[in-house]
Amino acid sequence: MSKVEKFLQSAFFRTLISIVVGFAVGAVFLAAVQINVGAAYGKLFTSIFANAKSLSYSVVYATPLIILGLSVAFSFRTGVFNIGAEGQFVVGSMAACVVGILVPAPAIVLVPLCVLVSAVAGAVWGMIVGILKVKWGINEVLSMIMFNWIAFYLSNYIAGLPAIKSDGNAEATKNVQEAAMILLPKSVISKLGLCNSANWGIFVAILLSIFCYVVIEKTTLGFSLKAVGSNRDAAEYAGINVNRAVLTALGISGAMGGIAGAMNLLGMGQRISIFTAQEGYGFQGIIAALIGNSNPLGVFFGGLFYGAIKYGGSRLNLIGAPSEVVNVIMGTVVFFIAISHIFKFRKHKKEGK
């Protein structure tokens, strides 16, 4: 097989084609509502690349999506579909919020503590579902959806407690202490012309990407997780403890989901509103994982791409274009990535692989 043929059959090429088709469908949608496609897409991309401030906004938007994508991708490798990243994100952000409000400590102690408790909260949330699966065979997709809603209402309950709720009229928690925030120094933001929300979260995302790659590709644990994901029965026959692998994957995956919540809160949100609906961060993380083909490096760039498009799309209303076009584009991208996997499976089946 030539290099060109290999490239045409690669996951990267399938994803690239899916993105092109996504923008084409988005163009049809814009034309249907009588919006100038060139002007809308021009605004979308100039909003992203106009200057350092715009680029930094894109990175800020992308950071939780990258970490959530890594969370979902990690569990994918064990054959577990982590649709519960939304709940893990919510409990992680609320755990960091409570600590950030109530614990008086300097930044050097408070920031790591907030991140640690968010990781523990997310890991526990993921492992509860894992225990339900390995002990009683309860389908993880159904229980994760249930736990997303439990996290939703639990967050609202905690946000309404007297010690946590805002002292004003806002339906939200108090702001976390300044010492808990992970914003870059104001001098750096001013010198580089970055947005006011520029923070250290992207470096956490880079470290977690490296962590996922090393664990999955370079460790015995990673080999066990991939073996379970490829063929659970064969892995068990080979002596791998399948139940432990599932619990480990969901624990690590949940921890990263919780950290994503902490990065979003401490880097941009500063407080948590009482929800009226699920925010959908976990499902956006699934999209980032699909775009990146569950490869840590791919997920990193997939999350950056989604974050940039998400930020650029938020500026479309400035020219009267609907920001929902971003959802149309990303939905189409995911649809065609899924379709490409079906065709790949059928091709391999026909070839007897």
Side-chain angles (χ1 to χ4, degrees):
M1 185 183 293
S2 68
K3 290 183 179 180
V4 174
E5 289 175 323
K6 285 183 178 179
F7 174 74
L8 293 177
Q9 294 183 22
S10 67
F12 174 77
F13 180 73
R14 293 196 302 269
T15 300
L16 190 63
I17 293 297
S18 298
I19 290 172
V20 171
V21 173
F23 277 99
V25 172
V28 172
F29 171 78
L30 288 169
V33 293
Q34 299 181 335
I35 298 294
N36 186 297
V37 176
Y41 279 171
K43 184 62 179 178
L44 178 68
F45 288 108
T46 54
S47 296
I48 298 169
F49 298 107
N51 48 45
K53 185 176 182 179
S54 298
L55 283 171
S56 62
Y57 263 124
S58 298
V59 171
V60 169
Y61 273 64
T63 297
L65 303 184
I66 293 170
I67 301 175
L68 282 166
L70 293 169
S71 167
V72 174
F74 196 91
S75 65
F76 273 174
R77 301 306 286 265
T78 17
V80 177
F81 183 43
N82 184 12
I83 201 172
E86 176 77 12
Q88 295 149 18
F89 177 91
V90 169
V91 296
S93 59
M94 180 52 77
C97 185
V98 170
V99 172
I101 292 171
L102 298 180
V103 178
I108 196 171
V109 174
L110 190 55
V111 171
L113 183 61
C114 287
V115 175
L116 178 62
V117 297
S118 69
V120 171
V124 169
W125 214 248
M127 290 184 72
I128 291 173
V129 172
I131 291 170
L132 293 175
K133 177 180 176 63
V134 301
K135 292 292 185 183
W136 294 286
I138 298 173
N139 183 280
E140 70 274 15
V141 173
L142 295 177
S143 53
M144 281 178 178
I145 292 173
M146 297 282 194
F147 271 79
N148 285 346
W149 284 105
I150 294 172
F152 173 88
Y153 288 111
L154 177 63
S155 177
N156 282 356
Y157 172 76
I158 295 174
L161 294 176
I164 304 299
K165 192 175 185 300
S166 170
D167 295 326
N169 295 323
E171 291 297 308
T173 67
K174 298 174 182 176
N175 288 353
V176 298
Q177 303 167 59
E178 288 294 325
M181 297 297 289
I182 57 171
L183 299 174
L184 293 175
K186 291 182 179 179
S187 58
V188 174
I189 290 175
S190 177
K191 184 177 181 179
L192 298 179
L194 306 178
C195 68
N196 292 332
S197 301
N199 61 72
W200 297 102
I202 187 61
F203 298 102
V204 175
I206 291 171
L207 290 174
L208 287 175
S209 299
I210 296 170
F211 166 79
C212 287
Y213 173 78
V214 171
V215 170
I216 292 171
E217 303 296 340
K218 303 295 181 181
T219 66
T220 305
L221 171 63
F223 175 81
S224 300
L225 297 179
K226 288 189 291 184
V228 172
S230 298
N231 191 318
R232 190 163 296 190
D233 293 331
E236 190 168 15
Y237 184 76
I240 296 173
N241 189 323
V242 172
N243 289 345
R244 182 186 298 171
V246 170
L247 285 174
T248 301
L250 284 174
I252 295 174
S253 176
M256 287 192 285
I259 291 172
M263 292 300 103
N264 189 64
L265 171 73
L266 305 180
M268 185 167 58
Q270 201 168 4
R271 65 180 183 178
I272 297 175
S273 299
I274 294 178
F275 300 126
T276 56
Q278 292 190 24
E279 294 186 299
Y281 273 101
F283 301 105
Q284 293 167 16
I286 293 173
I287 293 174
L290 290 171
I291 293 174
N293 198 39
S294 296
N295 178 288
L297 181 62
V299 171
F300 180 83
F301 287 107
L304 276 179
F305 167 73
Y306 193 2
I309 296 298
K310 187 178 176 183
Y311 169 68
S314 69
R315 315 296 292 175
L316 287 176
N317 57 2
L318 296 177
I319 61 168
S323 59
E324 288 80 8
V325 69
V326 170
N327 296 330
V328 173
I329 292 170
M330 299 310 299
T332 305
V333 169
V334 170
F335 176 77
F336 277 92
I337 288 174
I339 288 292
S340 70
H341 283 290
I342 293 172
F343 283 120
K344 182 182 177 183
F345 172 77
R346 288 180 61 119
K347 181 175 179 291
H348 284 182
K349 188 175 180 180
K350 185 179 288 187
E351 293 173 353
K353 293 183 180 180

